[in-house]
Amino acid sequence: MLGVPFFHAGEFDEGSAPIPRRGVRKPPVELGGLALGLQLRPVALGCPAILTAGHRRSFHSCHPLVGPVPLAGPGLHQGLSRALDFGAVHNAEVARQPKSFFLSPDLNEYLLASSSPLDPLLAELARETSELGPVSRMQVPPEQGALLTVLAAATGARRAVEVGTFTGYSALCIARGLPADGHLLCLDVSDEWTSVARRYWARANLSDRIELRLGPAADSLAALPAEPIFDFAFVDADKTGYSAYIELLAPRLRPNGLLLLDNVLQSGRVLDPAAQDANVRAIRDVNARLGADPRFQVVVLPVADGLTMARRM
């Protein structure tokens, strides 16, 4: 049976809780007498979960690097060839793909070359994370990590919270922007992925500045005192939970505290009327309501897959 590395967005949500499996073997799909075992794996940039037949412009049948793979019609063999060729693509090529869907790889590289260089430890963490495969794109890109450090340091944040930690890249960046007596609370549900994070935090001599709590983030936040205790909050977790996280964080943010929400453009699908999956609908609702929320001053930035910055009033 031919295993095609086609990646299915329905298997996970970028920045969310861990996936208990790397891929799910589905029954063979018969296409013109050719039996294909479609190996469904996570993809980070949020291609919707529906596979359509021969629709080259559709958002619904896409591969993060090779593009649409039509399931019927004249483009079938070409699409399968591209998908199979993907298996030979080096992890560095995965890392080279911009997180910002509107940036070309060359422009993305220019952006990075014009910024402060990535230090060796972050580069090593990015390389190790890339070995996880397409799920590695849940990690924030270098420019977003640098922005987190700059914002934490420039605002003088002392206490911060992160919802959705993955392998710890963004947490490391936030912690580096805190003072020596600062504190970052990281909330996640995956012991496997955060075990990578803990190793790198120790190597960065930041373990005493970062506290990790495993379990549903909403429960962890609700257990905290309902008073202003945080200067900085970064949310990069399950998109359907964003609304609840905002409500839980709002009373716990100090005046002028920053709330950052990741992936608020959903690879541009927020503007696609045909995109009606739960993640896109949740983000559309959050974007509409937060922009009109008198508790916050809000700006949405074209950083990575869209980053909302909200200042607590």
Side-chain angles (χ1 to χ4, degrees), residues 194-209:
T194 56
S195 66
V196 178
R198 289 192 293 268
R199 284 194 285 109
Y200 281 87
W201 298 341
R203 291 178 57 187
N205 296 317
L206 291 172
S207 294
D208 60 343
R209 203 177 301 181

Side-chain angles (χ1 to χ4, degrees), residues 219-233:
D219 294 345
S220 297
L221 289 172
L224 297 172
E227 58 189 42
I229 55 177
F230 293 117
D231 308 298
F232 192 98

Side-chain angles (χ1 to χ4, degrees), residues 156-174:
R158 302 185 70 85
R159 296 198 65 185
V161 59
E162 177 182 68
V163 180
T165 295
F166 191 37
T167 57
Y169 189 105
S170 53
L172 199 159
C173 292
I174 294 169

Side-chain angles (χ1 to χ4, degrees), residues 117-183:
L118 190 65
D119 72 84
L121 186 64
L122 282 175
E124 185 177 340
L125 173 54
R127 283 194 299 271
E128 180 170 341
T129 303
S130 75
E131 293 172 1
L132 296 174
V135 74
S136 66
R137 286 181 67 87
M138 289 199 298
Q139 178 182 274
V140 301
E143 68 275 14
Q144 188 175 4
L147 180 61
L148 292 174
T149 303
V150 168
L151 288 174
T155 58
R158 302 185 70 85
R159 296 198 65 185
V161 59
E162 177 182 68
V163 180
T165 295
F166 191 37
T167 57
Y169 189 105
S170 53
L172 199 159
C173 292
I174 294 169
R176 282 180 165 176
L178 301 178
D181 61 347
H183 180 266

Side-chain angles (χ1 to χ4, degrees), residues 33-237:
L34 176 63
L36 299 177
L38 295 180
Q39 181 71 24
L40 302 183
R41 296 184 186 272
V43 61
L45 281 186
C47 303
I50 303 171
L51 305 183
T52 61
H55 191 174
R56 299 190 63 82
R57 292 188 66 251
S58 174
F59 287 86
H60 299 302
S61 53
C62 63
H63 184 292
L65 294 184
V66 302
V69 179
L71 296 185
L76 169 63
H77 295 292
Q78 180 183 359
L80 291 179
S81 176
R82 291 200 311 273
L84 290 171
D85 287 344
F86 173 71
V89 176
H90 192 272
N91 282 332
E93 181 63 20
V94 175
R96 183 178 182 267
Q97 299 303 308
K99 193 75 171 284
S100 299
F101 61 94
F102 41 81
L103 286 180
S104 68
D106 288 341
L107 188 56
N108 186 65
E109 289 184 353
Y110 176 80
L111 178 152
L112 295 176
S114 302
S115 303
S116 299
L118 190 65
D119 72 84
L121 186 64
L122 282 175
E124 185 177 340
L125 173 54
R127 283 194 299 271
E128 180 170 341
T129 303
S130 75
E131 293 172 1
L132 296 174
V135 74
S136 66
R137 286 181 67 87
M138 289 199 298
Q139 178 182 274
V140 301
E143 68 275 14
Q144 188 175 4
L147 180 61
L148 292 174
T149 303
V150 168
L151 288 174
T155 58
R158 302 185 70 85
R159 296 198 65 185
V161 59
E162 177 182 68
V163 180
T165 295
F166 191 37
T167 57
Y169 189 105
S170 53
L172 199 159
C173 292
I174 294 169
R176 282 180 165 176
L178 301 178
D181 61 347
H183 180 266
L184 169 61
L185 174 62
C186 291
L187 308 177
D188 206 289
V189 296
S190 172
D191 182 64
E192 176 188 359
W193 287 343
T194 56
S195 66
V196 178
R198 289 192 293 268
R199 284 194 285 109
Y200 281 87
W201 298 341
R203 291 178 57 187
N205 296 317
L206 291 172
S207 294
D208 60 343
R209 203 177 301 181
I210 304 175
E211 175 188 356
L212 174 65
R213 295 186 188 178
L214 295 178
D219 294 345
S220 297
L221 289 172
L224 297 172
E227 58 189 42
I229 55 177
F230 293 117
D231 308 298
F232 192 98
F234 178 53
V235 179
D236 186 10

